[in-house]
């Protein structure tokens, strides 16, 4: 499912990261504005069969940060507005920090450590807050190949005013390989994923596993194409509800393609379209539909 907002994250979930990367030490800033359709936040709980699980939204993502070379710090302010239903609206603030540390040897392996904090509110107050810590071991085999092992832990502290039982520990393990043919600008990322969410109520707890493929390639001057495919299986630990007394099992598939065109040095326009399917044995969580968005991205870096 889509994350509640476009908050601080290291996963590739859009045509390109909204964070402007400063190649040397210095200040950076970015802003992104987009509109489209996608999966609604996971903490909107209704049992009606006719509930829409995909809705239109307008999103903004603003970031300010400083790149110190081996350490990067930033602060994000994000907003997601759903014109169809204001209960879905999300506003988020949060800092993050990331550090890269070369390991002994010939500089081919490094340790990347990160931490972030998210505070998310809706129209009726706090939705949740969540600290996360992240560790990655990155090994460069050659200019063409990089392998990364990653482990992330977070704790989601859900507002009890919305519903109880959704507080949860969240584990993510990933083994990723990046291939850049001939060391060029095109790339293909292939990931094996493992997840474990341990919620206060077992009907929200699950073990998940899956695969993800992300590719990008220059198509013309200033034009880059992107493609993404992910397949994730989630097996829950308890019956979904009294109405549906079965242990929920979902197969979530998402396939999208995108184009990014750089209008000026600091401004680009992008469009993304695709399809999402969540095949579930619980009828109120079974859905599929087209998704997509278009937007503008602006970034600056002062060195």
């Amino acid at each position: 499912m889509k994350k509640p907002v476009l908050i601080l994250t290291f996963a590739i979930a859009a045509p390109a990261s909204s964070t402007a990367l400063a190649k040397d030490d210095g200040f950076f800033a970015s802003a992104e504005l987009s509109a489209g359709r996608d999966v609604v936040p996971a903490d909107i709980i209704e049992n009606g069969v006719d509930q829409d699980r995909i809705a239109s939204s307008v999103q903004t993502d603003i970031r300010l940060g400083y790149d110190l070379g081996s350490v990067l710090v930033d602060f994000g302010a994000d907003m997601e507005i759903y014109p169809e239903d204001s209960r879905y609206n999300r506003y988020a603030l949060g800092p993050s920090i990331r550090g890269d540390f070369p390991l002994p040897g010939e500089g081919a392996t490094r340790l990347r450590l990160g931490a972030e904090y998210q505070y998310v509110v809706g129209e009726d107050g706090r939705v949740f807050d969540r600290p996360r810590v992240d560790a990655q071991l990155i090994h460069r085999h050659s200019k063409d190949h990089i392998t990364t092992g990653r482990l992330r832990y977070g704790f989601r502290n859900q507002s009890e005013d919305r519903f109880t039982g959704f507080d949860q520990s969240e584990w993510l393990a990933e083994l990723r390989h990046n291939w850049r043919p001939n060391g060029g600008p095109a790339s293909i990322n292939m990931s094996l994923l493992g997840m474990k969410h341990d919620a206060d109520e077992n009907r929200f707890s699950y073990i998940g596993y899956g695969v993800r493929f992300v590719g990008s390639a220059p198509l013309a001057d200033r034009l880059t194409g992107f493609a993404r495919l992910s397949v994730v299986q989630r097996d829950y630990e308890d019956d979904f509800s009294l109405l549906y007394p079965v242990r929920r099992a979902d197969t979530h598939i998402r396939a999208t393609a995108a184009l990014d065109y750089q209008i000026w040095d600091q401004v680009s326009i992008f469009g993304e379209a695709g399809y999402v399917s969540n095949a579930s044995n619980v009828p109120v969580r079974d859905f599929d539909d087209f998704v997509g968005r278009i937007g503008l991205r602006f970034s600056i870096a002062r060195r």
Side-chain angles (χ1 to χ4, degrees), residues 1 172 191-195 206-212 228-235 249-254 277-279:
M1 242 182 209
L172 169 69
S191 296
L192 298 177
L193 304 170
M195 291 152 279
Y206 68 82
I207 293 177
Y209 50 92
V211 295
R212 181 174 60 210
R228 175 189 174 98
L229 171 65
S230 62
V231 181
V232 175
Q233 175 69 30
R234 297 188 181 101
D235 296 319
D250 293 2
T251 302
H252 191 85
I253 301 174
R254 183 184 184 95
S277 171
N278 196 77

Side-chain angles (χ1 to χ4, degrees), residues 19-296:
T19 301
L21 297 179
K23 295 184 182 301
D24 301 313
D25 296 356
F27 168 81
F28 65 84
S30 69
E32 184 177 286
L33 173 65
S34 65
R37 287 176 53 80
D38 215 318
V39 181
V40 302
D43 56 10
I44 299 297
I45 302 298
E46 289 186 1
N47 290 326
V49 176
D50 295 330
Q51 181 190 9
D52 290 334
R53 301 307 303 176
I54 296 177
S56 300
S57 66
V58 177
Q59 306 163 356
T60 63
D61 179 4
I62 300 173
R63 291 174 161 265
L64 301 173
Y66 203 84
D67 189 341
L68 300 169
S70 60
V71 176
L72 185 149
V73 294
D74 72 357
F75 187 89
D78 311 289
M79 178 176 68
E80 190 165 15
I81 301 297
Y82 288 84
E84 302 171 24
D85 194 332
S86 62
R87 294 175 306 159
Y88 300 167
N89 293 352
R90 296 289 187 270
Y91 312 90
L93 295 172
S96 74
I97 184 170
R98 190 191 78 195
D100 280 2
F101 307 96
L103 298 183
E106 299 181 357
T109 306
R110 68 183 188 274
L111 177 66
R112 173 173 294 174
L113 300 176
E116 62 180 357
Y117 178 74
Q118 305 168 350
Y119 190 85
V120 183
V121 299
E123 298 297 315
D124 56 351
R126 184 179 72 91
V127 180
F128 69 88
D129 62 279
R130 175 167 55 196
R132 279 176 170 170
V133 292
D134 184 280
Q136 301 183 50
L137 191 63
I138 305 169
H139 179 73
R140 177 181 291 274
H141 307 273
S142 66
K143 66 177 183 179
D144 298 1
H145 297 278
I146 298 176
T147 298
T148 301
R150 179 188 185 195
L151 183 65
R152 186 184 72 193
Y153 172 77
F155 182 80
R156 180 178 179 128
N157 180 24
Q158 185 76 25
S159 170
E160 301 299 320
D161 293 335
R162 289 178 169 260
F163 59 92
T164 60
F166 207 64
D167 290 356
Q168 55 191 275
S169 298
E170 303 170 332
W171 289 94
L172 169 69
E174 178 184 6
L175 180 62
R176 179 174 66 247
H177 188 79
N178 177 265
W179 175 42
R180 290 187 174 273
N182 300 316
S187 70
I188 298 175
N189 275 283
M190 299 158 284
S191 296
L192 298 177
L193 304 170
M195 291 152 279
K196 179 174 174 55
H197 285 211
D198 187 10
D200 285 353
E201 291 189 13
N202 284 339
R203 69 191 184 105
F204 299 125
S205 300
Y206 68 82
I207 293 177
Y209 50 92
V211 295
R212 181 174 60 210
F213 301 91
V214 181
S216 67
L219 303 179
D221 185 33
R222 295 177 174 259
L223 180 66
T224 305
F226 299 83
R228 175 189 174 98
L229 171 65
S230 62
V231 181
V232 175
Q233 175 69 30
R234 297 188 181 101
D235 296 319
Y236 288 77
E237 296 181 4
D238 204 353
D239 292 349
F240 180 75
S241 66
L242 292 176
L243 183 60
Y244 301 104
V246 296
R247 292 195 176 190
R248 178 181 168 189
D250 293 2
T251 302
H252 191 85
I253 301 174
R254 183 184 184 95
T256 58
L259 293 173
D260 184 286
Y261 182 73
Q262 188 176 10
I263 304 173
W264 300 293
D265 288 346
Q266 298 173 334
V267 181
S268 63
I269 184 172
F270 63 88
E272 180 182 24
Y275 194 75
V276 169
S277 171
N278 196 77
S280 177
N281 62 344
V282 175
V284 294
R285 291 298 176 264
D286 186 276
F287 63 87
D288 60 274
D289 208 341
F290 290 97
V291 295
R293 64 182 185 130
I294 58 173
L296 285 170

